[in-house]
Amino acid sequence: MLRLRLLTWDVKDTLIRLRHPVGENYSAEARVHGIQVEPEALNKCFHQAYKIQSKHFPNYGLNRGLSSKQWWVDVVKQTFRLSGVHEDTVLAPIAEKLYQDFCIACNWEVLPGATETLRQCSQQGIRMAVISNFDKRLEKILSQCDLKHHFEFVLTSEDAGFAKPDQRIFLKALRISGVAPQLAAHVGDDYVKDYRAAREVGMHSFLLKRAGQANTWESDVPEEHLLPSLPHLLSVIKKG
């Protein structure tokens, strides 16, 4: 049984996930403006646009003078341009509306076991926080999903100025909490950004394994560090 004073969490695809594929939201908003684009096409174009934007302007382009909102607005516009829609007078209001929509709880769902696991960790007296590659909308999303009250603080990559797997975001969380790394653990669904990165600063970590998830890392992760479900965490940790 691992004794802990601090448990940090990834959020997207660990505690919550999008309720629908991005393309469905984009297609629905486009229809409001009289534009017909298939959701599947927009989903494909979104992933292309997101990949390009992330490569050219990592962590929302903060060190290049962008705001996270402008970064996302550009992703939305480029998604539609790749799908053949180029009228900026239409793309601007679509992008603005979609940016706002993705902080509304109806577009997110809490993953099975998340609420109960957080509740029981809180009952044990384990301090908890968030370390997430996300923008400033995350606190509002967590509040709307009724999860924020479980966390002492929410540290996003926008707040920190560094994105996982950069060690500095984990070190900043440890400084904020005042907890030594050997008394802290991190939970997430990404081998490199969550599991390995936390261990590189001396924290413990657990990797959430999703059914059907392809991986090349399983031989590198001891079975006791793999979580087949979030509630499984409760059997391996306790307050230190």
Side-chain angles (χ1 to χ4, degrees):
M1 186 73 73
L2 181 62
R3 292 182 175 271
L4 297 174
R5 292 186 183 170
L6 177 70
L7 187 60
T8 63
W9 294 84
D10 172 54
V11 174
K12 186 176 180 293
D13 297 324
T14 297
L15 296 173
I16 63 174
R17 66 185 170 202
L18 286 170
R19 195 173 294 275
H20 307 289
V22 168
E24 291 185 18
N25 296 74
Y26 281 38
S27 181
E29 185 58 30
R31 287 196 299 273
V32 172
H33 295 265
I35 297 171
Q36 299 289 330
V37 189
E38 289 299 315
E40 294 79 7
L42 284 167
N43 214 49
K44 181 179 179 181
C45 292
F46 167 79
H47 289 294
Q48 293 175 355
Y50 181 88
K51 184 177 181 179
I52 292 167
Q53 186 82 331
S54 297
K55 180 179 179 181
H56 292 162
F57 302 100
N59 198 25
Y60 309 113
L62 300 176
N63 63 354
R64 299 280 296 276
L66 288 180
S67 66
S68 59
K69 180 178 180 180
Q70 186 58 56
W71 191 94
W72 278 114
V73 164
D74 290 346
V75 169
V76 175
K77 289 181 177 180
Q78 186 60 15
T79 297
F80 279 98
R81 290 180 185 126
L82 289 170
S83 71
V85 180
H86 298 278
E87 298 85 352
D88 199 62
T89 54
V90 176
L91 294 182
I94 289 175
E96 176 67 29
K97 181 64 163 54
L98 287 169
Y99 177 82
Q100 301 300 333
D101 281 352
F102 279 98
C103 22
I104 299 172
C106 66
N107 284 316
W108 298 89
E109 61 183 2
V110 178
L111 285 162
T115 298
E116 181 62 17
T117 302
L118 292 173
R119 186 185 67 79
Q120 291 200 39
C121 287
S122 293
Q123 285 185 342
Q124 287 190 37
I126 298 172
R127 298 168 60 192
M128 293 191 290
V130 163
I131 302 176
S132 177
N133 288 355
F134 217 101
D135 59 69
K136 60 186 179 183
R137 294 174 294 176
L138 183 58
E139 289 203 37
K140 183 177 180 181
I141 293 167
L142 288 170
S143 292
Q144 294 212 357
C145 293
D146 197 27
L147 298 179
K148 184 175 179 291
H149 63 282
H150 292 293
F151 305 114
E152 285 191 13
F153 60 88
V154 174
L155 182 60
T156 66
S157 57
E158 180 173 12
D159 294 328
F162 317 108
K164 298 179 297 184
D166 193 311
Q167 294 184 13
R168 289 173 290 182
I169 192 170
F170 292 94
L171 293 172
K172 183 167 186 175
L174 292 170
R175 284 196 301 272
I176 292 170
S177 66
V179 174
Q182 64 268 25
L183 295 173
H186 181 72
V187 181
D189 70 314
D190 189 289
Y191 169 71
V192 173
K193 296 176 182 177
D194 292 309
Y195 178 80
R196 195 172 73 187
R199 291 191 166 264
E200 286 174 353
V201 301
M203 296 172 67
H204 303 278
S205 60
F206 297 96
L207 186 64
L208 182 61
K209 183 180 179 182
R210 296 292 180 197
Q213 183 183 42
N215 67 74
T216 57
W217 42 254
E218 193 157 345
S219 61
D220 297 329
V221 181
E223 189 171 348
E224 60 269 25
H225 297 167
L226 287 172
L227 301 178
S229 67
L230 286 176
H232 183 78
L233 179 69
L234 300 166
S235 66
V236 293
I237 65 169
K238 67 184 299 183
K239 183 183 177 183

